[in-house]
Amino acid sequence: EDQVTQSPEALRLQEGESSSLNCSYTVSGLRGLFWYRQDPGKGPEFLFTLYSAGEEKEKERLKATLTKKESFLHITAPKPEDSATYLCAVQAPLSTGNQFYFGTGTSLTVIP
Amino acid sequence: NAGVTQTPKFQVLKTGQSMTLQCAQDMNHEYMSWYRQDPGMGLRLIHYSVGAGITDQGEVPNGYNVSRSTTEDFPLRLLSAAPSQTSVYFCASSSFGGVGTQYFGPGTRLTVL
């Protein structure tokens, strides 16, 4: 059973065209939800951590929000340098072995 | 600040060969982990460690061994490589007993022929 599902798989935006990426999860007792950016050939780069429903975090053109079943990564007026794969991960309760579960990512392309 | 380092960056093995992927961190993090990343599968946890001398299995541990003799180092060993282990491997570390944010290394791309 998938713990984390990200949509869409791929997204093409014109520069300046705002949009949102979705991450839905089924883990009970969520200990944290994480957003990462991954560029080709590199390791994931940390963006945000969210711990409870209603929480929001912002960084430049990115804003992450969390509800009880999903998280959104809002991208406002994106630029070509925002092109990357965005990964979502959740941390399950300690009783399940302190596992982190990752989604398969959304590949974002921003066209000049 | 080096963060999390991994060596080698690329490796080609023949079926049945053994090798060790190296991972080191200089942030004094207690928690370290190994993931593999395959197309369409996302990152999957192989093994993790909550401190020196303590390791445990993740989601896909078969065919891999780990040990944690120091806080800084967490090597991943493939005892007898198989083509199914062709993947990109990432090491990560975090503080706060694994509750905090994980920081990833640059990865090792492994091909098993």
Side-chain angles (χ1 to χ4, degrees):
Chain A
E1 179 183 352
D2 289 344
Q3 304 277 3
V4 182
T5 303
Q6 290 188 248
S7 62
E9 288 186 13
L11 182 63
R12 289 172 63 90
L13 298 174
Q14 293 289 331
E15 184 172 1
E17 178 186 3
S18 302
S19 187
S20 296
L21 313 182
N22 177 264
C23 171
S24 61
Y25 61 92
T26 58
V27 169
S28 298
L30 182 75
R31 298 183 72 203
L33 185 140
F34 307 86
W35 282 99
Y36 289 86
R37 169 192 172 125
Q38 186 173 26
D39 293 299
K42 297 192 175 181
E45 175 188 346
F46 168 72
L47 292 174
F48 303 108
T49 305
L50 302 167
Y51 292 105
S52 57
E55 190 174 358
E56 298 182 351
K57 295 274 181 75
E58 283 189 71
K59 179 181 179 180
E60 297 181 355
R61 296 176 292 282
L62 301 177
K63 179 180 177 180
T65 62
L66 180 64
T67 70
K68 287 188 177 180
K69 294 195 173 184
E70 58 190 354
S71 177
F72 292 93
L73 184 65
H74 307 279
I75 303 176
T76 302
K79 298 182 177 181
E81 54 262 41
D82 294 322
S83 297
T85 296
Y86 291 85
L87 303 174
C88 171
V90 299
Q91 187 172 18
L94 278 174
S95 59
T96 62
N98 205 33
Q99 297 266 24
F100 287 87
Y101 295 94
F102 280 80
T104 54
T106 293
S107 176
L108 173 66
T109 302
V110 182
I111 304 163
Chain B
N1 186 1
V4 180
T5 58
Q6 292 183 238
T7 57
K9 192 163 180 62
F10 300 96
Q11 184 71 49
V12 179
L13 293 178
K14 293 182 180 179
T15 296
Q17 286 185 317
S18 63
M19 79 159 296
T20 299
L21 308 185
Q22 301 292 343
C23 173
Q25 52 93 8
D26 62 359
M27 297 174 282
N28 201 31
H29 283 170
E30 305 145 341
Y31 183 93
M32 296 185 73
S33 54
W34 276 101
Y35 292 87
R36 59 179 289 172
Q37 187 174 39
D38 302 292
M41 299 289 289
L43 284 156
R44 291 181 292 168
L45 183 65
I46 304 172
H47 285 286
Y48 67 96
S49 169
V50 298
I54 305 169
T55 64
D56 208 343
Q57 297 180 350
E59 185 182 358
V60 288
N62 291 341
Y64 307 96
N65 280 351
V66 292
S67 60
R68 183 97 178 269
S69 57
T70 67
T71 299
E72 295 77 20
D73 300 298
F74 190 43
L76 178 72
R77 282 184 289 276
L78 285 70
L79 298 179
S80 179
S84 60
Q85 294 178 304
T86 294
S87 186
V88 181
Y89 292 85
F90 291 100
C91 178
S93 74
S94 71
S95 60
F96 308 113
V99 178
T101 301
Q102 290 192 95
Y103 295 92
F104 285 82
T108 294
R109 182 174 294 275
L110 175 68
T111 301
V112 183
L113 303 175

